[in-house]
Amino acid sequence: MATKKISAASARAHTRKAKQKSSFPFTSGAFAKILLVVLIGLLAWGYQATRPPPPKTCGSPDGPPVTAPRIKLSDGRHLAYKEIGVPRDNAKYKIVYIHGYDGCRHDVPISILSQDVIESLGVYIVSFDRPGYGESDPNPKRTVKSLAFDIQELADQLGLGSKFYVMGFSMGGQAVWTCLRYIPHRLAGAALIAPVVNYWWPRLPVNMSQEAFNLRLPQDKWTLRVAHYLPWLTYWWNTQKLFPSCSAAGRNPAIFSSKDLELVSKQSLSQDYRAQVRQQGEYESLHRDLMIGFGTWEFDPMDLENPFPNNEGSVHLWQGDKDRLSPVTLQRYIAEQLPWIQYHEIPGAGHLVPMIDGIGEKIFKTLLTA
C-alpha cells in the first residue's frame, strides 16, 4: 500500500509540473517563433527605411507646378532651363552653365557680369536644373555619362549650333569632365570652377587622396563612404537621426573657409527659389548626386586627351587654395597630369570662387577670349 501511495503522490507532482510547464508562455518553441517574428519585423523595418519615397515630379497631380520653360528629352524626361544674356540668335558666345550640389538653374552667377560686358562680348547663357533638381524630371537611371548627353540634347533643341561652351561649378564641375569625355566634339571651350573630386578615381595617388579625404568633417567621411561602398544605404544614412550626415545638405558653416563665410554673409538669396531646389524630393537630387559623384566612375578624368589639339579651344580649372570641399592638393595633381588644362589658383580663396569680386568676370572673359 505504501508503494502505491508514493506512486500516486509522485504522479500528482508530475502532473503539477507538467501543467506549470505547459502554462509557461516562453517554451523553446514559442520563443523561437517570437524571435522569428521580431527578426522579420526588423528586416521589414530596415527594408522600408532604405527605400526612398517616390519623387513629387513637377506637373504630376501631387507634384509642384511647372513654371519654367522645359524641353522634352528623347527618353521622355523634361529638362527645365533659364536663358540669360543677349538673344541666342545674336550671340557670339553660347554657354551652358551647370549648377552644383543643392542648387538649381537660378544659381548661375550672372550678377558678376555687368550688362555692358554681356552685350559687348555677345554672351548668351543657358542654365538648367540637373535631373531631380528644381523643375527637371528625376532620372532614376542616371549614370556618370548621362548628363553629358542631356546637355547635348538641350543644346540641340535650343539651336546652340555645332559647338558651345560649358561651365560647371562644384558638383557641376564633375559634369564638365563628362562632357570632355563623351561629347568633346561639341565643345568650343570648358571651365571647371572648384570641381568636386572623387577620392576613388583610380589614378589619384592613394596616400594623397587619403590625406585629402581626412580633411573632411567626420560626418562627411562617413557620408561619402556610404555613397561609394553602400549606395543602397544612402537614403537611410541621410535621413536617420542617430548620427550627423552630409554637412553640405545641412548647410553646416564648418564646411566653408573664412573667405567663403564672408562672401555668404554678403550674398542675398531668394528664399522663393531656394525652396524650389529640393521640391521634388532629396533622394533624386541630393542623394543621387552623392551616389553618382562619389561612386565608381566609368572613366578616370586623368585618362582624358586634349579635346583641342589644334588650340581651337581651351579648358580652364579655377581653384581656391583654402577650399575645404575640393582639396587644392588633388586639383594641382590633376592639372599636372593634364598639362593641356590651364590651371588658375586663387590664393586665400575657398570654395565659392565665382563670388569673389572680379574673379567671376575674369573666369568668363578668360574662357571666351583665351
Side-chain angles (χ1 to χ4, degrees), residues 212-231:
F213 184 79
N214 288 337
L215 296 175
R216 303 296 297 254
L217 295 175
Q219 66 199 73
D220 289 335
K221 287 192 281 187
W222 280 107
T223 297
L224 300 187
R225 288 187 187 111
V226 169
H228 182 79
Y229 295 110
L230 301 167

Side-chain angles (χ1 to χ4, degrees), residues 308-329:
F308 308 114
N310 299 317
N311 296 320
E312 65 272 32
S314 57
V315 180
H316 302 262
L317 197 161
W318 298 81
Q319 177 67 33
D321 67 350
K322 303 299 182 185
D323 194 331
R324 294 184 179 180
L325 290 172
S326 301
V328 67
T329 53

Side-chain angles (χ1 to χ4, degrees), residues 57-355:
T57 307
C58 285
S60 64
D62 62 340
V66 175
T67 63
R70 307 199 302 178
I71 64 163
K72 188 173 183 178
L73 299 169
S74 57
D75 64 1
R77 289 182 294 115
H78 294 88
L79 212 62
Y81 64 92
K82 177 181 180 179
E83 297 176 291
I84 304 162
V86 303
R88 77 175 86 109
D89 292 338
N90 302 331
K92 181 179 180 182
Y93 302 107
K94 299 170 183 177
I95 305 171
V96 177
Y97 182 84
I98 312 163
H99 69 78
Y101 181 80
D102 200 14
C104 70
R105 66 189 182 280
H106 297 298
D107 283 335
V108 57
I110 193 61
S111 59
I112 61 180
L113 284 178
S114 67
Q115 192 62 31
D116 289 341
V117 170
I118 290 174
E119 293 181 357
S120 63
L121 291 177
V123 178
Y124 163 88
I125 303 170
V126 58
S127 177
F128 68 99
D129 292 331
R130 291 193 287 112
Y133 283 105
E135 297 184 27
S136 287
D137 293 343
N139 182 6
K141 297 179 180 179
R142 182 176 156 196
T143 63
V144 171
K145 68 180 178 181
S146 61
L147 189 58
F149 295 108
D150 286 354
I151 290 170
Q152 181 173 244
E153 279 200 66
L154 175 68
D156 287 342
Q157 291 200 36
L158 294 181
L160 301 192
S162 60
K163 290 183 179 289
F164 51 88
Y165 295 85
V166 289
M167 180 181 292
F169 169 62
S170 191
M171 193 69 84
Q174 286 194 341
V176 174
W177 288 123
T178 69
C179 289
L180 291 168
R181 170 63 178 85
Y182 294 108
I183 58 168
H185 57 289
R186 300 299 306 274
L187 304 182
L192 303 102
I193 310 170
V196 170
V197 175
N198 184 331
Y199 300 95
W200 289 273
W201 284 338
R203 288 192 57 191
L204 286 174
V206 174
N207 59 336
M208 182 183 293
S209 183
Q210 186 64 50
E211 183 179 345
F213 184 79
N214 288 337
L215 296 175
R216 303 296 297 254
L217 295 175
Q219 66 199 73
D220 289 335
K221 287 192 281 187
W222 280 107
T223 297
L224 300 187
R225 288 187 187 111
V226 169
H228 182 79
Y229 295 110
L230 301 167
W232 54 276
L233 277 179
T234 298
Y235 170 75
W236 172 81
W237 176 259
N238 287 279
T239 54
Q240 53 79 32
K241 305 301 181 185
L242 298 175
F243 309 100
S245 54
C246 183
S247 57
R251 301 191 176 107
N252 186 340
I255 63 176
F256 293 120
S257 69
S258 57
K259 183 64 175 179
D260 286 334
L261 293 174
E262 179 185 329
L263 292 168
V264 169
S265 67
K266 296 178 180 178
Q267 187 183 35
S268 58
L269 292 176
S270 166
Q271 294 303 313
D272 290 339
Y273 98 69
R274 292 307 304 175
Q276 293 181 23
V277 173
R278 310 180 187 183
Q279 65 182 350
Q280 298 185 88
E282 295 186 4
Y283 182 73
E284 288 295 346
S285 52
L286 306 185
H287 302 169
R288 197 166 292 280
D289 254 4
L290 295 172
M291 291 186 288
I292 298 296
F294 297 98
T296 300
W297 276 40
E298 299 146 5
F299 71 97
D300 189 318
M302 282 162 285
D303 289 330
L304 293 175
E305 297 180 355
N306 185 357
F308 308 114
N310 299 317
N311 296 320
E312 65 272 32
S314 57
V315 180
H316 302 262
L317 197 161
W318 298 81
Q319 177 67 33
D321 67 350
K322 303 299 182 185
D323 194 331
R324 294 184 179 180
L325 290 172
S326 301
V328 67
T329 53
L330 300 184
Q331 307 287 25
R332 289 170 181 165
Y333 181 81
I334 292 169
E336 289 172 1
Q337 299 304 303
L338 302 174
W340 44 269
I341 286 184
Q342 298 184 38
Y343 180 67
H344 312 269
E345 188 171 303
I346 301 97
H351 192 62
L352 305 180
V353 170
M355 292 174 56

